[in-house]
Amino acid sequence: MITPNPTLQVIHNKINLPKKELILEIELNGKMKFEHLMNTIYNQFGICHRVLSANVEYVNGYSLGSVQLYINVSSEDYQQLEFYLNKNKLLSTMVEYNCRKYF
């Protein structure tokens, strides 16, 4: 008999939700490790991201600095991520990314 593993987290695939391309800048203030933040964004929220730039310094195991991420996300998922960042007292700024597309 196969029993489900309760420790595995299932990421639900949301179909037909419009997504936006965003650049998200997060200020790391030592409250969370950089690696933990990146893993949480991907594993907990299911948001794929690319690191555009990172200026991170480690002082006594704490991450300080800033990171810019490129994300393609629905507004609902972004609101959840924004709530998480605010809850953990991480300042963030979001800019909508528009790219010219040539045909």
Side-chain angles (χ1 to χ4, degrees), residues 9-25:
Q9 189 175 30
V10 176
I11 298 173
H12 300 285
N13 189 8
K14 298 175 183 169
I15 301 172
N16 297 329
L17 290 178
K19 291 189 172 188
K20 291 185 178 181
E21 296 178 358
L22 305 174
I23 296 176
L24 178 64
E25 183 169 355

Side-chain angles (χ1 to χ4, degrees), residues 18-22 46-49 70-74:
K19 291 189 172 188
K20 291 185 178 181
E21 296 178 358
L22 305 174
I47 298 173
C48 294
H49 57 274
Y70 166 83
I71 58 176
N72 190 359
V73 67
S74 69

Side-chain angles (χ1 to χ4, degrees), residues 25-66:
E25 183 169 355
I26 303 170
E27 295 291 326
L28 302 168
N29 56 8
K31 301 220 182 258
M32 183 179 297
K33 289 186 177 184
F34 174 71
E35 295 83 7
H36 178 73
L37 176 62
M38 297 296 105
N39 286 331
T40 300
I41 290 172
Y42 180 72
N43 292 329
Q44 183 174 340
F45 296 104
I47 298 173
C48 294
H49 57 274
R50 285 188 219 156
V51 177
L52 298 177
S53 70
N55 181 15
V56 180
E57 293 186 30
Y58 299 95
V59 178
N60 295 329
Y62 298 103
S63 300
L64 302 169
S66 65

